[in-house]
Amino acid sequence: MELEVRHLRALCAIADTGSLRKAARQLGMTQPSLTTQLRRIENTIGGRLFSREVTGSRPTPLGRSVLCRARPIVAEMNALVSEVRLEAGQTADARLRIGSTGSRAVVGWLRRLRARYPDADTTIHIDVSANALLQMVAANQLDVAFVHEVEGAPLRVPEGVERRVLVEREPQFVALAETHPAAPRPAVRLADLAADQWMVDPSVDGEGPGLRRVLAAAGLNPRVVYGDYLTAADLVASGEVVTPCQPTARSRQGVAVRPLHGDPLTVRLFLASRAAPAARTAADGPVPGTAPGAPFEVDALFGDLADAYFEIAWASAAYRQWLVRNESPLLRLQEPPARDAVDVLGLAGPAEVS
C-alpha cells in the first residue's frame, strides 16, 4: 500500500481527538474500518504509530515523527483545494484556523469565536511545541496561534510574524502530592522541593532549560526526568515527581497545585499572526491567508482570547488566590475584561513584528 493524503488525514484525526472512535466519527468512517486502515498504514511504515492507553490513543515516538511531516502536507493540501476552488470561481467556506499550546482558555476562546463568526469553519490545532505553531503561522497554515514563551528560553519567531502580548509574566505553579509536607503552605519554596524529583515534558519548547536555569539560580540540583504532562497526574499523586504547571491548572484527586514563592518560573503569553502589509487597503481585497468572505480581525481574535483567559483565571481557585495576594490589576474587575480594558490595565503589550 502506498501512503495517500487520506491516510495522513486519518493519522492527524486520531492524534487530534485522542480516540479511534472519535476520529472515525470525524472522518465519516466506522471504527473497525479506521482500525484496519491504521494497521495497514503501520505495516507500510514499519512500526506502531499509536499506543492504546486507558486515556485513549497516544502517538508513539515514531508516530510523533510521522505527524510532524504529515500535518504540513495535509494543511498544504487543504490550502491548495481552497485556492483552486477560489480561482475556478467556486464559493469557498470561510476558514478560521487557530493554533495553541495547551491552555484551559482555549475552550472559551473557541466558544467566543464561533459566536462571532457563526458561518466560519473554525478549526483548532493543538501542539505542545510553540515553535512549530509559529512556523505554521509563518507558512500560512494557521491564521493565529496562542503560545507561551518560557522566561530565559526565547522562541524562534519567524520573520514577518506579529506578536500581541496577552500576559507579560504569568507565574508557573507547581503540582505536588497532597501528602507532600509543603502542600499545606499557600506558597511553596524551591528549597522545599530540593529532595524531590522534577518531571518536565521534553517536547515543550524551553520548559527543561527554563526549569534548570531557575533551579541553578536557587543553588539546587535535583534530579530532572522527562515525561508527558498528560499522564503525569498519577506520578504526582503518588509522590514520585513534582511538575511545573499553569496557574489555571485544575487540581486532580491526590494532587495539589500551589504557587512558587517569589514566582521564579514565568512565561509570556502572546498571540501570533502574520503581519499585514502596511500599505494595504480595503480596495486591495482581503489580506493573503484570510478566508474568502471572512476578513477576520486579529484584534477581535485577541480580544476574545483575553476574555476567555481572564474567565478561566477567575475560575481557578489557586490562581485567584495568587491574584488577591499580589494585588493584581484584575482585582478591579468583576467579570472578564474586554480588549480595551486589557490595554488600559497594562496586561497586554503592544504588537511587535519580527
Side-chain angles (χ1 to χ4, degrees), residues 16-270:
D16 291 342
T17 62
S19 162
L20 281 169
R21 178 179 58 81
K22 293 179 181 177
R25 183 187 308 162
Q26 178 178 303
L27 295 167
M29 304 171 60
T30 64
Q31 183 174 338
S33 297
L34 181 58
T35 300
T36 299
Q37 186 177 90
L38 175 59
R39 288 173 181 166
R40 295 181 65 192
I41 295 172
E42 290 177 330
N43 289 337
T44 299
I45 290 177
R48 291 189 64 188
L49 302 179
F50 293 91
S51 59
R52 298 292 294 273
E53 301 176 0
V54 176
T55 55
S57 298
R58 299 188 56 76
T60 62
L62 176 61
R64 288 195 291 270
S65 177
V66 172
L67 285 165
C68 284
R69 294 180 176 273
R71 291 191 189 280
I73 294 173
V74 172
E76 285 293 338
M77 182 57 68
N78 291 341
L80 172 64
V81 171
S82 296
E83 290 170 8
V84 169
R85 285 177 176 173
L86 183 61
E87 290 181 7
Q90 299 183 27
T91 301
D93 293 333
R95 292 178 300 115
L96 175 57
R97 304 158 301 170
I98 67 176
S100 178
T101 48
S103 171
R104 290 185 61 204
V106 167
V107 173
W109 190 27
L110 276 174
R111 184 176 69 249
R112 288 170 170 81
L113 292 179
R114 285 173 175 154
R116 181 182 296 275
Y117 303 113
D119 297 328
D121 177 15
T122 302
T123 59
I124 176 72
H125 175 77
I126 302 295
D127 197 317
V128 294
S129 171
N131 281 316
L133 292 171
L134 294 176
Q135 288 294 335
M136 293 182 72
V137 170
N140 194 21
Q141 295 166 357
L142 291 174
D143 296 301
V144 293
F146 174 42
V147 301
H148 71 274
E149 181 178 53
V150 178
E151 185 176 16
L155 297 172
R156 299 185 299 273
V157 182
E159 182 179 356
V161 170
E162 183 179 83
R163 293 170 289 179
R164 286 171 171 78
V165 177
L166 177 65
V167 179
E168 187 62 43
R169 295 184 80 248
E170 179 193 73
Q172 297 301 279
F173 287 5
V174 63
L176 65 164
E178 287 183 342
T179 55
H180 194 287
R185 299 171 187 170
V188 178
R189 297 179 181 272
L190 286 176
D192 298 333
L193 308 173
D196 289 280
Q197 181 171 251
W198 288 78
M199 194 194 83
V200 295
D201 189 334
S203 57
V204 179
D205 296 321
E207 195 88 335
L211 176 62
R212 290 184 182 279
R213 178 185 62 82
V214 167
L215 292 172
L220 303 175
N221 187 30
R223 185 181 181 192
V224 178
V225 298
Y226 298 104
D228 187 335
Y229 287 147
L230 295 179
T231 57
D234 289 341
L235 291 175
V236 173
S238 67
E240 288 292 323
V241 299
V242 297
T243 68
C245 66
Q246 297 175 14
T248 54
R250 181 185 290 110
S251 294
R252 302 186 182 185
Q253 184 174 2
V255 176
V257 174
R258 298 289 183 267
L260 287 168
H261 181 78
D263 305 321
L265 189 62
T266 67
V267 302
R268 180 168 68 159
L269 305 179
F270 66 86

Side-chain angles (χ1 to χ4, degrees), residues 4-16:
E4 301 175 6
V5 175
R6 63 188 178 92
H7 299 138
L8 302 184
R9 290 187 195 278
L11 296 180
C12 292
I14 297 171
D16 291 342

